């Protein structure tokens, strides 16, 4: 429609040029010099009529331009806007930093142009500027290419903006799980009601609770370091949150994130590195010990585990000692319990 408006202006200019030329040219039978007859003639009346028709056409074109302006104000037309005048949404939904598809998007727009318009609203606090409802990646690519952004501009409330933002991303290219979780948490932090957040993400109350709980369970710095992880789904992120809970020793995680391997990895591979670093540690089983008598003869082998202690009596080293210990178990146990009571 930006091109349509320019076309209307060009058409109007051509029309006026033609009509004014016809007025200034002499009619058949009129003097060809600049002298004018003292009384109106048929030729002069024709010139007046031509001028009148030109003014009518001008008025019609002005009405059409006014109608087009009204279309722009209601967001029914596509206009071109300098990306330098466009600011991010009040709550960006896509994660910054790792963007493995940016180069492909730039090349696509360079080759084919911007096929799908973005949605903007007039900036609520900065006159002359605009705010994105959706199309952040396209604006970034267009700015890099030095191209104007083709956009629809509408007056949107904050609630309208975030709902439109979420709906468009859901229909065109789904956000990753953690981007959706981060977006939901950010909207909640901005004071949006759960009903608005549910509409923006197209989820029910249960799924929204899962999204936000996972985001709250993980440090923001960790989520940003991993990035969007587009191939990593809800179950894996929930497992990561469970692994993160109760972990006081974060050295293994810090070492993993500081490694060159982590820095060079894709977003999904970064998730895998963090997931492995937070794996439950296997408790080390103590090596067996032995108890020896006063002569140094090894009589009992002792094995300790988390849930049991095993005594293995060597019948060759101390024949019948095992039966003796078994016979004394009731006495030993009573003595043990009495000792605990006294404590």
């Amino acid at each position: 429609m930006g091109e349509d408006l320019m076309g209307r202006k060009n058409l109007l200019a051509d029309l006026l040029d033609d009509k004014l030329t016809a007025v200034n040219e002499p009619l058949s039978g009129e003097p060809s010099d600049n002298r004018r007859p003292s009384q109106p003639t048929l030729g002069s009346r024709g010139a007046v009529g031509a001028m009148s028709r030109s003014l009518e056409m001008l008025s019609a074109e002005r009405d059409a331009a006014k109608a087009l302006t009204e279309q722009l104000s209601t967001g029914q037309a596509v206009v071109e806007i300098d990306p330098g005048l466009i600011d991010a949404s009040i709550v960006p939904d896509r994660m910054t930093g790792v963007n493995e598809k940016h180069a492909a998007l730039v090349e696509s727009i360079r080759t084919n142009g911007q096929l799908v318009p973005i949605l903007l609203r007039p900036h609520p606090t900065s006159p002359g500027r605009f705010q994105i409802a959706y199309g952040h990646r396209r604006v970034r690519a267009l700015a890099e290419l030095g191209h104007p952004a083709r956009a629809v501009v509408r007056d949107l409330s904050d609630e309208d903006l975030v709902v439109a933002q979420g709906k468009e991303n859901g229909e065109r290219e789904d956000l990753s799980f953690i981007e959706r979780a981060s977006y939901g948490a950010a909207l909640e932090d901005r004071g949006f009601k759960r009903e608005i957040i549910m509409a923006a993400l197209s989820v029910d109350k249960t799924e929204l609770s899962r999204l936000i709980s996972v985001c709250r369970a993980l440090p923001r710095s960790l989520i940003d370091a991993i990035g969007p992880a587009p191939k990593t789904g809800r179950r894996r992120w929930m497992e990561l949150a469970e692994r993160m809970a109760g972990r006081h020793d974060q050295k293994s995680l810090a070492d993993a994130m500081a490694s060159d391997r982590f820095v060079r990895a894709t977003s999904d591979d970064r998730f895998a590195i963090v997931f492995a670093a937070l794996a439950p540690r296997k408790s080390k089983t103590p090596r067996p010990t032995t108890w020896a008598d006063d002569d140094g003869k090894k009589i009992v082998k002792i094995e300790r585990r988390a849930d049991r202690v095993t005594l293995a009596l060597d019948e060759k080293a101390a024949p019948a000692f095992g039966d003796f210990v078994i016979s004394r178990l009731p006495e030993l146990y009573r003595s043990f319990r009495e000792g605990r009571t006294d404590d």
Side-chain angles (χ1 to χ4, degrees):
M1 291 300 294
E3 296 175 357
D4 183 45
L5 178 58
M6 184 61 71
R8 288 175 183 270
K9 291 180 178 178
N10 291 336
L11 176 62
L12 176 59
D14 292 342
L15 179 63
L16 290 177
D17 286 343
D18 292 343
K19 294 299 183 183
L20 292 176
T21 299
V23 170
N24 291 324
E25 288 179 349
L27 298 177
S28 177
E30 280 192 313
S32 58
D33 59 13
N34 293 328
R35 290 173 296 170
R36 291 290 179 263
S38 58
Q39 298 296 325
T41 67
L42 178 62
S44 64
R45 288 196 298 272
V48 172
M51 177 64 79
S52 177
R53 288 192 297 273
S54 296
L55 293 176
E56 290 175 358
M57 291 295 295
L58 176 60
S59 177
E61 289 297 327
R62 284 176 176 170
D63 291 342
K66 181 179 179 181
L68 183 59
T69 301
E70 292 175 353
Q71 284 184 323
L72 297 179
S73 66
T74 57
Q76 297 176 12
V78 177
V79 295
E80 291 187 344
I81 296 177
D82 181 354
L85 298 175
I86 301 173
D87 297 322
S89 170
I90 51 175
V91 182
D93 51 6
R94 294 195 180 274
M95 300 178 69
T96 59
V98 180
N99 191 340
E100 295 147 14
K101 295 183 178 180
H102 175 69
L105 179 61
V106 171
E107 189 58 34
S108 174
I109 293 177
R110 189 198 311 274
T111 304
N112 305 309
Q114 181 193 347
L115 301 180
V116 180
I118 63 175
L119 177 61
L120 308 176
R121 72 170 179 179
H123 200 292
T125 59
S126 300
R129 300 189 64 81
F130 301 87
Q131 199 168 54
I132 301 176
Y134 56 72
H136 290 83
R137 294 183 305 157
R138 276 165 279 172
V139 169
R140 179 185 169 194
L142 290 163
E144 188 172 313
L145 291 168
H147 293 178
R150 298 178 63 244
V152 172
V153 182
R154 293 179 183 163
D155 288 323
L156 301 172
S157 66
D158 289 351
E159 289 80 5
D160 293 337
L161 184 144
V162 299
V163 170
Q165 183 176 358
K167 292 287 187 184
E168 195 270 352
N169 282 319
E171 292 171 0
R172 286 181 47 76
E173 180 181 349
D174 288 341
L175 300 173
S176 68
F177 174 83
I178 198 60
E179 285 180 312
R180 289 161 61 82
S182 299
Y183 186 48
L187 290 177
E188 187 175 63
D189 291 341
R190 291 282 302 228
F192 287 97
K193 295 180 180 179
R194 284 281 176 119
E195 290 75 13
I196 295 296
I197 305 175
M198 288 161 55
L201 292 173
S202 298
V203 296
D204 59 22
K205 186 181 297 185
T206 301
E207 180 62 15
L208 180 60
S209 295
R210 289 196 190 102
L211 288 165
I212 293 178
S213 64
V214 168
C215 188
R216 303 291 190 210
L218 297 169
R220 183 71 242 179
S221 58
L222 176 62
I223 295 174
D224 290 339
I226 293 173
K231 298 179 182 178
T232 305
R234 179 183 70 186
R235 182 180 61 82
R236 295 279 283 173
W237 278 102
M238 293 180 70
E239 290 177 359
L240 182 66
E242 291 174 359
R243 290 188 175 191
M244 194 72 189
R247 286 295 298 270
H248 301 293
D249 179 14
Q250 302 295 335
K251 186 178 185 307
S252 59
L253 176 60
D255 291 344
M257 294 175 63
S259 67
D260 291 338
R261 176 175 170 239
F262 183 87
V263 173
R264 295 193 303 267
T266 65
S267 183
D268 285 291
D269 288 340
R270 289 183 179 186
F271 176 92
I273 292 171
V274 170
F275 193 79
L278 291 176
R281 295 180 180 178
K282 296 181 179 179
S283 58
K284 295 182 179 180
T285 302
R287 298 180 62 182
T289 59
T290 57
W291 177 83
D293 64 11
D294 294 339
D295 297 329
K297 187 184 297 184
K298 295 179 181 179
I299 306 296
V300 182
K301 181 181 179 181
I302 307 169
E303 292 184 87
R304 296 179 180 273
R305 297 184 183 274
D307 59 345
R308 70 187 61 189
V309 177
T310 303
L311 305 178
L313 283 66
D314 190 339
E315 287 289 330
K316 292 182 178 180
F321 182 59
D323 292 336
F324 173 79
V325 171
I326 292 171
S327 67
R328 293 296 183 92
L329 284 177
E331 178 184 344
L332 290 172
Y333 189 65
R334 282 195 299 270
S335 177
F336 165 74
R337 295 204 46 187
E338 290 171 359
R340 288 178 62 89
T341 303
D342 292 341
D343 293 339

